Amino acid sequence: MEIINLVLDFVLIAMSIWMLTIVTGYGGNIGRAFTVIGWGAFILGIAHLVETITFEVFGLSQFMVELSHRLIVIVGFALVVIGFQMFVQKK
């Protein structure tokens, strides 16, 4: 396992946790939107770590590693999009 990739994966996760701690202080609709966006960022960070670990530790095929990575990224991006959509929803 390349140590640089693993370190960068943990940096991504740390930054997404940092983002979550920043946005948790907001209330109301904006706070909920920020929280959803923050969770999306966290899942995007996790996706990279999962990609690194599944290939090296579990020995899955390259196809399965890429497929699982992309599925997790889709969930993360969906949360980011939903969070931004919450900003513009009309009541």
Side-chain angles (χ1 to χ4, degrees), residues 10-73:
F10 281 109
V11 168
L12 283 170
I13 292 170
M15 291 178 73
S16 64
I17 291 171
W18 180 27
M19 178 190 286
L20 278 172
T21 61
I22 291 170
V23 300
T24 54
Y26 292 98
N29 290 337
I30 290 175
R32 283 190 292 275
F34 278 149
T35 301
V36 171
I37 292 168
W39 279 109
F42 178 73
I43 291 172
L44 288 170
I46 292 293
H48 293 288
L49 180 62
V50 167
E51 181 182 27
T52 301
I53 289 175
T54 53
F55 185 70
E56 295 293 330
V57 174
F58 298 115
L60 294 177
S61 69
Q62 188 69 26
F63 172 76
M64 289 305 296
V65 170
E66 294 296 327
L67 179 64
S68 64
H69 173 75
R70 281 173 174 74
L71 291 173
I72 297 169
V73 167

